[in-house]
């Protein structure tokens, strides 16, 4: 213990010495640091200024309401919407071309004619709510789908007289048309007859503007659309309904007895196409609205994006400058001294802490030594008394241990008995639970049987009550029957007497009938003879006896008629000598020729309309193709010209007041100033402009190989180099053979072929430029890239 105390004392002294040494070294370092602080003030000020400037830029960036990458995501959405819009436009154009037969075209009949008075073709003015009913609706409407709806009969009259209509049309004036809508009572009756939803008014299956209700009611208002033929048959021929019906397959049922059905080709296609056109136009409008929103958002964000990009680039530059400055500051002597002082301070704190811990250890060791010495002195005096007390304690513990052993044996026997009782009780519990579950199941079955018996008893009581009521009713009916039998017996007696009288009367009538039959046979023979003699009787027979005709026998005198007949026959014989009987045959022949010519005219008109339709479709396709070509060539033209002549722009624009179908003009801008005329350009600039236009046209449908012969003859060296760079950038999949005498073209060639005279003989040498070989280090091998583009220079 004394050795430990001595060791702790030595360590405490050593720690104090180390602390003194560190304090001296710290004072020297602080003196050196104070001398260098003045040199570091300028560096600190500059560092604070740079950090303040960066903080200002960050605050400015945070103040710009824009998210990084938001413009790029909007551009992607814009590209997707443009693609969808182009697809929908193509679909709308295709469907519209197929629906050319329902396009109503007319000229304004009067000056300043209000075109909103002409609503359009019926098929264009509705939309089908249920696509499965298009066939039935088209059959129900029939030719009325092609009728034209106008606001009044005056407008219709103007269109027919001065509208220059190309085909025959039927006009529906809204103020004059009479519509017949199926009454609500009849609709309810039809629903009850065949079930709700199996018979629906055709008018309720379409949608339209409220102002067109009269026209739509005229076309669809008086027809039911039924799901099945059976339902249509029941609705049409019911005595209280009798309204025309059409099944979903297009079978027509008319209450007048007309049934039309069977296979149909093309039925419902018109309304299906119109439904597709309506859906496509709706989607197109939605996507166009979304595209407009995206473009507006992009336009609103572009100034903020430019400002954001500018500040971001400044922040990156300033941050990089600050990092370099901080690295230089860390390498200066002031920073090194500060780090050395801080290191010495840490070592000093550690030494002081260690010294304090050693002092505490020294004090605790001294106290423990004192207490142990005192305990040794006390142990000698009390040893014998303590030993005797311990022996007594050991004896008492042994006695307690023997008693505890006996009790433990007794408790072990009790434990075994209780364990056996527990197992028996557990088995009894399991059997009781099984018996309880069986009793509960049996009780449940008894309750169910009891409920069934109770229901049977109730049913038997009700059956008994019903039988008793029927017995009472039967007894009452029997009484009524007895009274009726008595009355019928009396009536029977009367009828038997009447029967006898009737039999006598019948014999009289039979004799009269026999006489009349013989007379009828004689009259029939007479009529047959008259029919054979006079053929006109068969054709005029239906007019016999009708008032107001020549065969009103009640108002005619047979004798006068005979005299008149004789006069007419004499007159007829006189006329036969002067009238040509072949006129009727000639008239029929002329009528057949007229019908044939009318049919041919109708065929020619149909062919004419089809030709006009094809011409319109070709014009539309030509216009669309020219537009796509113009947009592609215009984009490549501007890109190529700005590559050949940096700092410029070029474009192809329609003439003022016209569109691209009227022609295109070339516009050139230097910087942001657009030239009014191409005469303001120099000769070299005009050459580059013409070359750009030609290459843009070639780029629309690139060829695998091009040969250019001294296209840079009138250009200076910088423009020649730009031509080479342009070819590499815009024609990556084409080969060029370029003939040139200028060095600028050589720099952009993959392979150079030089020609020269050697001893009076023309010689060709092949050279691969060094820049090309260096460029291959990052990608393909020379053997794979050399064939892609070879430029020949003479």
């Amino acid at each position: 213990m004394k050795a430990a105390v001595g060791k702790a004392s030595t360590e405490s002294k050593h720690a104090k010495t180390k602390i003194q040494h560190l304090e001296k070294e710290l004072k020297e370092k602080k003196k050196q640091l104070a001398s260098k602080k003045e040199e570091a003030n300028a560096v600190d000020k500059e560092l604070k200024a740079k950090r303040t400037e960066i903080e200002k830029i960050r605050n400015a960036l945070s103040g710009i309401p824009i998210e990084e990458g938001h413009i790029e995501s909007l551009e992607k959405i814009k590209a997707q919407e443009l693609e969808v819009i182009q697809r929908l436009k193509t679909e709308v154009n295709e469907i519209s071309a197929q629906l050319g037969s329902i396009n109503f075209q007319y000229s304004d009949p009067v000056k300043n004619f209000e075109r909103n008075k002409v609503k359009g073709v019926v098929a264009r003015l509705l939309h089908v709510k249920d696509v499965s009913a298009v066939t039935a609706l088209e059959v129900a409407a029939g030719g009325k789908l092609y009728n034209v709806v106008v606001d009044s009969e005056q407008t219709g009259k103007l269109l027919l007289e001065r509208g220059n209509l190309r085909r025959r049309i039927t006009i529906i004036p809204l103020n004059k048309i009479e519509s017949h809508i199926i009454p609500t009572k009849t609709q309810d009756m039809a629903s009850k007859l065949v079930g709700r939803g199996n018979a629906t008014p055709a008018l309720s299956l379409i949608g339209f503007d409220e102002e067109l209700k009269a026209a739509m009611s005229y076309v669809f208002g008086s027809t039911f659309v039924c799901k099945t033929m059976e339902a249509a048959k029941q609705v049409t021929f019911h005595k209280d309904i009798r309204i025309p019906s059409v099944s979903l397959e297009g079978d027509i049922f008319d209450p007048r007895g007309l049934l039309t059905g069977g296979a149909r080709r093309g039925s419902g296609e018109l309304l299906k196409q119109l439904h597709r056109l309506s859906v496509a136009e709706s989607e197109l409008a939605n996507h166009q609205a979304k595209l407009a929103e995206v473009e507006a958002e992009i336009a609103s964000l572009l100034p903020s994006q430019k400002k954001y990009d500018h500040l971001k680039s400044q922040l990156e530059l300033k941050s990089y400058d600050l990092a370099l400055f901080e690295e230089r500051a860390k390498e200066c002597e002031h920073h090194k001294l500060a780090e050395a002082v801080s290191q010495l301070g840490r070592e000093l704190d550690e030494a002081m802490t260690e010294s304090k811990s050693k002092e505490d250890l020294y004090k605790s060791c001294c106290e423990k030594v004192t207490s142990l010495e005192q305990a040794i002195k006390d142990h000698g005096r009390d040893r014998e008394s303590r030993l005797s007390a311990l022996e007594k304690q050991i004896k008492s513990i042994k006695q307690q241990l023997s008693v505890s052993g006996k009790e433990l044996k007794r408790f072990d026997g009790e434990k075994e008995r209780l364990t056996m009782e527990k197992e028996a009780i557990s088995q009894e519990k399991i059997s009781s639970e099984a018996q309880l579950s069986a009793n509960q199941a049996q009780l449940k079955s008894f309750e169910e049987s009891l409920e069934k018996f109770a229901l049977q008893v109730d049913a038997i009581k009700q059956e008994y009550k019903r039988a008793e009521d029927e017995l009472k009713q039967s007894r009452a009916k029997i009484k009524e029957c007895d009274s009726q039998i008595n009355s019928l017996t009396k009536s029977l007696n009367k009828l038997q007497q009447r029967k006898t009288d009737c039999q006598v009367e019948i014999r009289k009538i039979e004799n009269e009938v026999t006489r009349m039959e013989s007379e009828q046979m004689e009259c029939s023979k007479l009529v047959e003879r008259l029919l054979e003699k006079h053929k006109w009787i068969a054709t005029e027979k239906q007019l016999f006896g009708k008032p107001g005709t020549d065969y009103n026998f009640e108002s005619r005198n047979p004798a006068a008629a005979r005299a008149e007949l004789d006069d007419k026959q004499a007159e007829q014989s006189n006329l036969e000598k002067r009238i040509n009987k072949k006129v009727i045959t000639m008239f029929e022949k002329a009528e057949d020729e007229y019908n044939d010519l009318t049919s041919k005219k109708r065929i020619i008109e149909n062919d004419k309309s089809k030709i006009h339709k094809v011409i319109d479709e070709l014009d539309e396709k030509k216009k669309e193709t020219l537009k796509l070509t113009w947009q592609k060539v215009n984009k490549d033209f501007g890109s190529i010209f700005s590559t050949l002549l940096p700092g410029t722009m070029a474009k192809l624009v329609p003439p003022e007041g016209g569109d691209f179908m009227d022609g295109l003009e070339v516009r050139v801008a230097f910087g942001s100033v657009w030239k009014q005329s191409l005469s303001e350009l120099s000769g070299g600039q005009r050459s580059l402009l013409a070359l750009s236009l030609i290459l843009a046209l070639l780029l629309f449908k690139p060829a695998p190989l091009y040969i250019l012969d001294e296209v840079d003859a009138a250009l200076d060296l910088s423009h020649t180099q730009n031509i080479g760079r342009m070819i590499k950038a815009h024609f990556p999949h084409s080969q060029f053979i370029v003939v040139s005498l200028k060095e600028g073209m050589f720099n952009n060639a993959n392979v150079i072929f030089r020609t020269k005279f050697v001893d009076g003989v023309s010689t060709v040498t092949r050279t691969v430029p060094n820049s090309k070989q260096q460029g291959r280090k990052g990608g393909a091998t020379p053997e794979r890239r050399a064939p892609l583009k070879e430029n020949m220079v003479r």
Side-chain angles (χ1 to χ4, degrees):
M1 181 61 67
K2 288 182 179 180
V5 173
K7 183 178 179 181
S9 175
T10 305
E11 289 179 354
S12 176
K13 290 178 181 178
H14 179 70
K16 287 180 180 179
T17 305
K18 186 177 180 181
I19 289 169
Q20 292 174 357
H21 176 71
L22 290 172
E23 286 177 348
K24 289 180 181 179
E25 189 174 353
L26 181 61
K27 287 179 181 178
E28 291 177 359
K29 295 291 183 181
K30 283 183 178 180
K31 289 179 182 179
Q32 294 178 8
L33 181 63
S35 64
K36 296 292 182 179
K37 275 185 179 180
E38 295 179 358
E39 298 177 4
N41 287 333
V43 177
D44 290 336
K45 289 180 180 179
E46 187 175 357
L47 185 62
K48 288 179 181 178
K50 289 182 179 295
R51 287 176 177 170
T52 304
E53 190 174 356
I54 290 174
E55 190 63 29
K56 288 180 180 178
I57 294 174
R58 284 178 177 167
N59 292 334
L61 276 174
S62 62
I64 297 175
I66 190 170
E67 297 180 5
E68 189 170 358
H70 187 50
I71 292 286
E72 288 77 5
S73 62
L74 289 176
E75 290 290 347
K76 290 181 181 179
I77 295 172
K78 179 182 176 182
Q80 294 173 357
E81 292 297 325
L82 285 172
E83 184 179 354
V84 174
I85 287 171
Q86 185 62 34
R87 178 178 58 78
L88 289 174
K89 282 183 177 179
T90 303
E91 184 178 354
V92 168
N93 291 334
E94 290 177 355
I95 299 174
S96 299
Q98 295 173 5
L99 297 174
S101 59
I102 61 172
N103 289 333
F104 178 58
Q105 298 178 355
Y106 65 94
S107 302
D108 290 347
V110 294
K111 191 176 182 180
N112 299 326
F113 178 72
E114 297 180 10
R115 282 189 164 250
N116 58 0
K117 291 183 178 180
V118 181
K119 309 304 179 182
V121 180
V122 172
R124 289 277 196 180
L125 299 176
L126 60 91
H127 63 272
V128 181
K129 296 180 180 178
D130 187 0
V131 182
S132 63
V134 291
T135 301
L137 290 173
E138 189 167 336
V139 171
K144 295 178 183 178
L145 281 176
Y146 300 91
N147 293 356
V148 178
V149 181
V150 298
D151 63 336
S152 63
E153 76 278 9
Q154 290 84 3
T155 304
K157 187 176 180 182
L158 287 174
L159 288 177
L160 293 175
E161 292 177 352
R162 308 176 189 173
N164 295 328
L165 304 179
R166 297 183 179 180
R167 58 185 175 87
R168 190 175 183 85
I169 62 168
T170 302
I171 293 177
I172 301 176
L174 292 174
N175 64 334
K176 291 292 183 181
I177 196 68
E178 293 183 1
S179 57
H180 302 283
I181 301 176
I182 301 172
T184 306
K185 183 179 179 181
T186 306
Q187 296 179 21
D188 296 339
M189 190 180 299
S191 298
K192 290 179 181 178
L193 181 63
V194 296
R196 184 170 297 278
N198 290 326
T200 308
L203 190 64
S204 64
L205 295 174
I206 61 172
F208 50 85
D209 294 338
E210 187 62 28
E211 63 174 345
L212 304 173
K213 186 175 181 180
M216 296 302 170
S217 301
Y218 165 70
V219 178
F220 296 98
S222 58
T223 307
F224 274 114
V225 174
C226 301
K227 288 188 175 180
T228 61
M229 291 178 60
E230 186 63 29
K233 182 179 178 181
Q234 293 181 24
V235 170
T236 302
F237 298 112
H238 191 272
K239 63 179 181 178
D240 295 328
I241 300 177
R242 299 190 64 78
I243 289 176
S245 302
V246 182
S247 67
L248 292 180
E249 291 77 16
D251 303 304
I252 305 172
F253 292 83
D254 195 291
R256 294 173 294 182
L258 178 65
L259 305 179
T260 305
R264 287 188 172 273
R265 294 182 179 178
S267 295
E269 290 300 322
L270 175 62
L271 293 181
K272 283 182 183 177
Q273 293 286 69
L274 287 171
H275 181 71
R276 284 180 55 208
L277 180 61
S278 175
V279 173
E281 288 177 344
S282 176
E283 291 182 1
L284 179 60
N286 293 335
H287 286 286
Q288 285 177 340
K290 189 174 180 181
L291 177 63
E293 292 178 0
V294 172
E295 288 178 343
E297 188 174 358
I298 291 174
S300 64
L301 292 177
L302 277 178
S304 301
Q305 182 68 27
K306 290 180 180 178
K307 186 176 179 182
Y308 181 84
D309 293 340
H310 177 67
L311 291 174
K312 189 176 180 181
S313 62
Q314 284 188 347
L315 178 62
E316 291 175 354
L317 291 174
K318 296 294 183 183
S319 301
Y320 181 71
D321 191 12
L322 178 63
L324 293 176
F325 191 81
E326 287 178 346
E327 288 180 1
R328 290 198 301 270
K330 287 179 182 179
E331 293 175 358
C332 68
E333 189 175 356
H334 168 263
H335 183 73
K336 292 179 181 178
L337 287 172
E339 286 185 351
V341 170
S342 62
Q343 181 65 26
L344 288 173
R346 288 194 295 272
E347 291 179 0
L348 178 62
D349 293 337
E350 290 175 359
M352 292 180 70
T353 304
E354 187 179 358
S355 174
K356 188 175 180 181
S357 64
K358 298 296 183 183
E359 287 179 357
D360 293 340
L361 179 62
Y362 175 74
K363 290 179 181 179
S364 63
C365 289
C366 291
E367 290 175 357
K368 194 170 183 180
V369 167
T370 305
S371 62
L372 287 172
E373 288 178 350
Q374 184 65 33
I376 289 169
K377 292 178 180 179
D378 295 337
H379 183 70
R381 292 195 298 267
D382 300 336
R383 183 171 178 272
E384 293 181 355
S385 59
R386 290 174 66 187
L387 285 172
S388 60
L390 288 170
E391 288 177 353
K392 292 179 181 179
Q393 189 175 359
I394 289 168
K395 289 180 180 179
S396 63
I397 289 170
K398 286 181 177 179
Q399 291 176 358
Q400 291 177 1
L401 183 62
S402 61
V403 173
S404 299
K406 293 178 181 179
E407 290 181 355
L408 181 62
K409 290 179 180 179
R410 183 172 58 83
F411 284 129
D412 286 340
E414 186 69 19
K415 176 183 176 183
E416 291 177 358
R417 184 181 63 78
L418 292 173
T419 302
M420 293 173 67
E421 289 180 358
K422 178 184 176 183
E423 291 176 354
I425 291 170
S426 299
Q427 292 177 357
E428 186 177 356
K429 178 184 177 184
I430 291 169
S431 62
S432 299
E433 288 177 350
Q435 187 176 1
L436 177 62
S437 60
N439 292 335
Q440 288 177 349
Q442 189 175 6
L443 177 63
K444 189 174 181 181
S445 64
F446 287 157
E447 289 176 350
E448 292 175 354
S449 301
L450 181 62
E451 291 177 357
K452 290 180 181 178
F453 289 144
L455 293 173
Q456 289 178 1
V457 169
D458 293 337
I460 291 169
K461 286 181 179 179
Q462 292 176 0
E463 185 69 22
Y464 174 75
K465 188 175 180 181
R466 183 179 61 79
E468 190 175 6
D469 294 337
E470 288 179 355
L471 179 61
K472 291 179 180 178
Q473 292 175 1
S474 299
R475 287 175 178 172
K477 287 181 180 179
I478 289 170
K479 290 181 181 179
E480 292 178 0
C481 290
D482 290 339
S483 61
Q484 289 178 0
I485 288 169
N486 295 328
S487 63
L488 288 173
T489 304
K490 295 178 181 178
S491 300
L492 180 61
N493 296 329
K494 293 179 181 180
L495 289 173
Q496 286 178 349
Q497 182 64 35
R498 187 176 177 185
K499 177 182 176 183
T500 305
D501 299 337
C502 288
Q503 286 176 351
V504 175
E505 188 71 23
I506 286 170
R507 289 192 186 96
K508 294 179 181 179
I509 293 171
E510 285 176 350
N511 295 329
E512 185 69 20
V513 167
T514 304
R515 184 182 61 80
M516 292 181 71
E517 283 178 352
S518 61
E519 291 179 357
Q520 182 185 2
M521 291 176 66
E522 293 177 0
C523 292
S524 298
K525 293 177 181 179
L526 178 62
V527 167
E528 289 176 358
R529 287 195 298 270
L530 290 173
L531 288 173
E532 291 176 359
K533 184 177 180 182
H534 305 288
K535 300 295 183 181
W536 58 269
I537 295 176
T539 57
E540 303 292 335
K541 185 178 180 180
Q542 67 272 14
L543 301 176
F544 288 175
K546 290 187 178 180
T549 65
D550 294 337
Y551 306 100
N552 187 5
F553 303 124
E554 294 180 357
S555 62
R556 302 286 289 182
N557 187 357
R562 172 61 65 181
E564 186 178 357
L565 176 62
D566 295 336
D567 294 336
K568 294 297 182 182
Q569 286 177 348
E571 185 179 357
Q572 181 183 2
S573 62
N574 292 329
L575 290 174
E576 285 178 352
K577 300 176 182 177
R578 293 177 291 171
I579 295 174
N580 186 7
K581 295 182 178 181
K582 297 181 180 180
V583 171
I584 300 298
T585 306
M586 295 169 63
F587 173 78
E588 291 176 353
K589 183 177 179 182
E591 187 177 18
D592 292 338
E593 290 177 357
Y594 171 78
N595 292 332
D596 186 36
L597 290 173
T598 305
S599 176
K600 290 179 180 179
K601 178 186 175 184
R602 191 180 303 110
I603 293 170
I604 291 171
E605 287 177 348
N606 291 335
D607 293 340
K608 180 182 175 182
S609 64
K610 290 179 181 178
I611 290 170
H612 281 297
K613 179 181 176 183
V614 172
I615 290 171
D616 294 338
E617 291 176 356
L618 291 175
D619 289 339
E620 188 66 24
K621 290 180 180 178
K622 179 183 72 175
K623 186 175 180 180
E624 188 69 23
T625 305
L626 286 175
K627 185 176 180 181
L628 294 175
T629 306
W630 166 45
Q631 292 174 350
K632 179 70 169 58
V633 171
N634 186 35
K635 180 181 177 182
D636 296 332
F637 175 51
S639 177
I640 291 172
F641 186 70
S642 60
T643 304
L644 295 179
L645 198 61
T648 61
M649 293 181 290
K651 61 182 179 179
L652 299 172
V653 296
E656 188 174 358
D659 59 359
F660 68 94
M661 296 296 291
D662 299 326
L664 296 172
E665 295 178 352
V666 178
R667 298 292 304 278
V668 180
F670 287 80
S672 59
V673 179
W674 291 92
K675 299 296 183 182
Q676 297 298 322
S677 174
L678 298 181
S679 61
E680 299 179 23
L681 275 63
S682 64
Q685 293 169 347
R686 293 182 191 175
S687 299
L688 291 175
L689 188 65
L691 181 62
S692 301
L693 182 56
I694 293 170
L695 291 175
L697 291 171
L698 294 176
L699 194 57
F700 182 73
K701 286 188 178 180
L705 178 65
Y706 296 94
I707 300 175
L708 304 181
D709 187 9
E710 293 188 2
V711 294
D712 58 341
L715 305 177
D716 55 17
L717 183 60
S718 62
H719 293 160
T720 303
Q721 292 175 346
N722 290 337
I723 290 174
R725 285 196 292 269
M726 181 275 297
I727 290 173
K728 281 189 175 182
H730 292 84
F731 294 87
H733 301 295
S734 299
Q735 293 182 350
F736 276 76
I737 297 176
V738 183
V739 181
S740 178
L741 296 173
K742 294 190 177 182
E743 188 68 20
M745 192 66 74
F746 300 172
N747 299 333
N748 294 284
N750 298 93
V751 178
I752 301 173
F753 294 91
R754 289 185 172 87
T755 61
K756 61 182 178 177
F757 282 104
V758 177
D759 298 332
V761 179
S762 180
T763 306
V764 179
T765 59
R766 183 179 185 274
T767 308
V768 178
N770 293 332
S771 59
K772 183 64 182 177
Q773 294 173 354
Q774 293 172 1
R776 288 178 180 145
K777 292 180 180 179
T781 61
E783 289 75 17
R784 293 180 61 189
R785 292 191 57 180
L788 291 178
K789 190 190 300 182
E790 293 191 2
N791 297 334
M792 179 182 287
V793 181
R794 183 177 65 195

